[in-house]
């Protein structure tokens, strides 16, 4: 891994059949991150690249996540693959909440689907401020400029509703299958004057690294590795982790000394925000910690909330949300059911002004301040203290019903 290039996490989001995996496969191939012989034969050859990585993970061959790497002239990217299926939205939430930027893939023959909307909303609520729109499957409409412009108009209207500015966003006509406009501009779209996908990725701005904030590492997985011991794996959200640091995992309270840190099979002396690392902590066993726990320094431990005040937006709910409702909150890598204790204020989503005090219920489209209580210990931070640890999505009945952020909290201890 060439040191010196800035690193960014990139999510591919969008509807399930719109060609995300094929696009990722082609991008990896064209940027030299994988060799042609790693592809399977046939039409789906690109799609299997990401799937192979996750299989490899299941077999425990590597402690890298299903995260493929590739380099552009300017950046080193880690692709956080975000599956499009409904059941995968929870992974999409984990993925998107780790991403610095996203490519929203929309198939030109299919147009904006319900999930296209949901992913755009989520990307925004989860703090992804930089977006590229990949208008895919242009080969199926004979690279029609008119079809491209129709879809561009439709998607522009959609993303405006969540406060993205279409004029600041690259809309790129692509064929993930044929490889058009991925690294080089394609002769099939002579009417398109913008950058290729790789050039557009280099126009992103690398995020400021929050190295001055307290250390927070949400655990994604915990492995037992022969000769090393227990290795939690996660992405450093904030702060710096060094070999020899004393860390504590909350909520369980397990703690010890960091013996080693590894990223992409290289040993490191320290790691910083954005790094996906595996690290071994002396004295912490595999059964002491699990996905959803958060590591921090012992002298500034992650906050376990007894209850918290949140600002939420109800994205879609078939009924109404009232006091006593207990859906699952997805926050960093944790998934914890939380009960609504109080609906404090209903806001006008357009202006943020208070519309109603102590409403009886909330429905789709409402924004509100609410007080919730986790049903079991959960780490969350105030958005103003550690923004990376303060956002969440709320899921119920197989869909994302709301998203929001933690404004205030009562610590559990």
């Amino acid at each position: 891994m060439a040191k010196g290039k800035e690193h960014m996490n990139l999510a591919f989001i969008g509807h399930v059949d719109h060609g995300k995996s094929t696009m990722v496969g082609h991008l990896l191939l064209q940027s030299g991150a994988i060799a042609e012989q790693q592809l399977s034969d046939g039409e789906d050859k690109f799609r299997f690249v990401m799937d192979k990585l996750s299989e490899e993970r299941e077999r425990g061959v590597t402690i890298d996540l299903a995260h493929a790497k590739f380099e552009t002239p300017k950046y080193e990217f880690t692709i956080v693959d975000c599956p499009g299926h409904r059941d995968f939205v929870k992974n999409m939430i984990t993925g998107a909440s780790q991403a610095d930027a996203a490519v929203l893939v929309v198939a030109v023959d299919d147009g904006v689907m319900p999930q296209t909307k949901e992913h755009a909303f989520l990307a925004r609520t989860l703090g992804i401020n930089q977006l590229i729109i990949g208008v895919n499957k242009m080969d199926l409409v004979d690279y029609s400029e008119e079809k491209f412009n129709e879809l561009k108009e439709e998607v522009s209207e959609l993303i405006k509703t969540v406060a993205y500015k279409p004029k600041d966003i690259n809309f790129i006509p692509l064929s993930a299958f044929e490889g058009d406009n991925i690294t080089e501009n394609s002769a099939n779209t002579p009417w398109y004057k913008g950058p290729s996908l790789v050039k557009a990725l280099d126009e992103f701005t690398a995020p400021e690294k929050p190295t001055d904030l307290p250390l927070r590492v949400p655990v994604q997985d915990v492995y037992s590795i022969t000769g090393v011991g227990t290795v939690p794996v996660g992405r450093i959200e904030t702060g710096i982790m060094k070999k020899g640091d004393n860390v504590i995992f909350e909520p369980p309270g397990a703690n010890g000394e960091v013996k080693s840190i590894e990223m992409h099979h290289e040993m490191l002396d320290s790691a910083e925000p954005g790094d996906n690392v595996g690290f071994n902590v002396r004295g912490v066993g595999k059964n002491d910690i699990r996905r959803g726990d958060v590591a921090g320094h012992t002298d500034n431990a992650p906050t376990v909330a007894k209850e918290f005040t949140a600002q939420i937006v109800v994205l879609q709910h078939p009924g109404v949300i009232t006091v006593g409702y207990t859906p699952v909150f997805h926050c960093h890598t944790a998934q914890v059911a939380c009960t609504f204790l109080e609906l404090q204020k209903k806001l006008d989503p357009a202006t943020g002004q208070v519309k109603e005090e102590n409403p009886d219920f909330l429905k789709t489209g409402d924004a509100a301040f609410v007080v919730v209580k986790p049903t079991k210990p959960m780490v969350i931070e105030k958005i103003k203290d550690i923004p990376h640890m303060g956002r969440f999505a709320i899921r119920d009945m197989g869909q994302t019903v709301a998203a929001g952020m933690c404004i205030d909290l009562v610590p559990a201890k």
Side-chain angles (χ1 to χ4, degrees):
M1 181 174 99
K3 286 277 177 268
K5 276 190 189 177
E6 286 199 271
H7 175 259
M8 286 183 81
N9 282 344
L10 179 67
F12 277 76
I13 59 179
H15 189 66
V16 56
D17 294 322
H18 285 187
K20 296 192 298 289
S21 297
T22 306
M23 192 176 296
V24 167
H26 223 130
L27 191 57
L28 294 173
L29 181 73
Q30 290 194 9
S31 61
I34 51 170
E36 185 83 57
Q37 60 268 26
Q38 279 176 269
L39 299 175
S40 40
D41 293 328
E43 299 229 330
D44 281 347
K45 61 182 183 178
F46 294 114
R47 212 163 67 228
F48 293 122
V49 175
M50 286 312 265
D51 300 348
K52 272 213 187 77
L53 288 171
S54 57
E55 243 171 80
E56 176 179 76
R57 187 171 100 221
E58 296 307 313
R59 292 204 310 270
V61 177
T62 164
I63 58 166
D64 228 339
L65 304 161
H67 282 154
K69 312 228 110 357
F70 71 99
E71 290 188 23
T72 58
K74 187 171 168 190
Y75 293 119
E76 186 203 29
F77 282 97
T78 298
I79 293 178
V80 191
D81 190 39
C82 294
H85 274 292
R86 281 229 84 89
D87 344 336
F88 287 133
V89 176
K90 59 177 185 294
N91 299 351
M92 142 74 198
I93 290 164
T94 312
S97 64
Q98 299 177 338
D100 302 308
V103 179
L104 175 61
V105 180
V106 191
V108 69
D109 59 329
D110 219 5
V112 169
M113 300 296 277
Q115 257 171 324
T116 315
K117 288 194 172 124
E118 186 175 22
H119 283 195
F121 257 129
L122 278 171
R124 191 49 154 176
T125 315
L126 294 164
I128 297 177
N129 299 323
Q130 306 188 75
L131 202 59
I132 286 173
I133 310 291
V135 177
N136 195 22
K137 304 197 181 182
M138 288 299 296
D139 52 314
L140 300 183
V141 294
D142 296 328
Y143 301 97
S144 154
E145 182 179 8
E146 188 188 349
K147 289 268 192 297
F148 171 78
N149 286 332
E150 278 171 26
L151 186 68
K152 179 176 174 176
E153 197 47 48
E154 191 186 354
V155 176
S156 293
E157 287 311 308
L158 163 70
I159 62 177
K160 264 190 234 165
T161 62
V162 287
Y164 284 112
K165 295 194 177 73
K167 67 171 179 28
D168 299 340
I169 289 176
N170 280 307
F171 287 76
I172 308 176
L174 297 162
S175 163
F177 189 70
E178 300 294 339
D180 295 291
N181 293 327
I182 289 184
T183 39
E184 297 297 328
N185 284 39
S186 165
N188 289 322
T189 51
W191 44 266
Y192 173 66
K193 300 295 179 246
S196 67
L197 179 57
V198 166
K199 291 196 176 77
L201 291 171
D202 271 352
E203 291 180 11
F204 281 146
T205 315
E208 287 290 304
K209 292 201 168 170
T211 47
D212 49 345
L213 290 175
L215 177 69
R216 293 294 181 265
V217 191
V219 175
Q220 274 162 2
D221 285 299
V222 184
Y223 296 95
S224 266
I225 295 184
T226 320
V228 183
T230 301
V231 177
V233 171
R235 173 178 187 250
I236 296 183
E237 289 295 333
T238 55
I240 295 176
M241 178 189 283
K242 296 190 177 74
K243 236 166 85 169
D245 280 356
N246 288 314
V247 296
I248 183 165
F249 293 85
E250 291 291 7
N255 63 77
E257 183 192 330
V258 177
K259 286 199 323 201
S260 61
I261 306 171
E262 180 185 312
M263 180 160 84
H264 317 312
H265 313 295
E266 280 181 38
M267 295 314 252
L268 304 178
D269 287 328
S270 72
E272 54 180 32
D275 290 347
N276 285 303
V277 295
F279 56 104
N280 172 246
V281 181
R282 182 181 281 118
V284 174
K286 185 166 186 344
N287 299 326
D288 299 339
I289 50 173
R290 56 175 57 91
R291 180 186 169 93
D293 293 346
V294 179
H297 288 128
T298 33
D299 58 4
N300 193 337
T303 309
V304 179
K306 189 161 93 180
E307 56 182 60
F308 60 95
T309 305
Q311 182 179 343
I312 65 165
V313 180
V314 185
L315 300 176
Q316 48 184 1
H317 196 285
V320 296
I321 290 176
T322 54
V323 167
Y325 177 53
T326 308
V328 176
F329 280 56
H330 291 250
C331 179
H332 51 86
T333 58
Q335 299 170 19
V336 178
C338 297
T339 303
F340 282 72
L341 298 182
E342 207 185 317
L343 309 181
Q344 289 183 328
K345 299 177 167 76
K346 195 145 78 168
L347 308 172
D348 178 341
T351 62
Q353 301 298 312
V354 176
K355 218 162 55 172
E356 189 184 337
E357 298 279 352
N358 303 111
D360 293 332
F361 62 85
L362 302 173
K363 58 183 193 326
T364 300
D366 284 345
F369 284 113
V370 298
V371 178
V372 297
K373 182 180 181 59
T375 55
K376 62 175 202 202
M378 163 184 176
V379 169
I380 191 166
E381 305 282 356
K382 292 182 207 175
I383 197 94
K384 67 174 192 328
D385 296 344
I386 309 183
H388 314 72
M389 300 293 297
R391 297 178 189 280
F392 55 82
I394 303 174
R395 288 186 50 82
D396 188 21
M397 303 163 294
Q399 61 180 352
T400 303
V401 294
M405 50 194 177
C406 170
I407 306 296
D408 202 2
L409 56 79
V410 178
K413 38 185 154 174

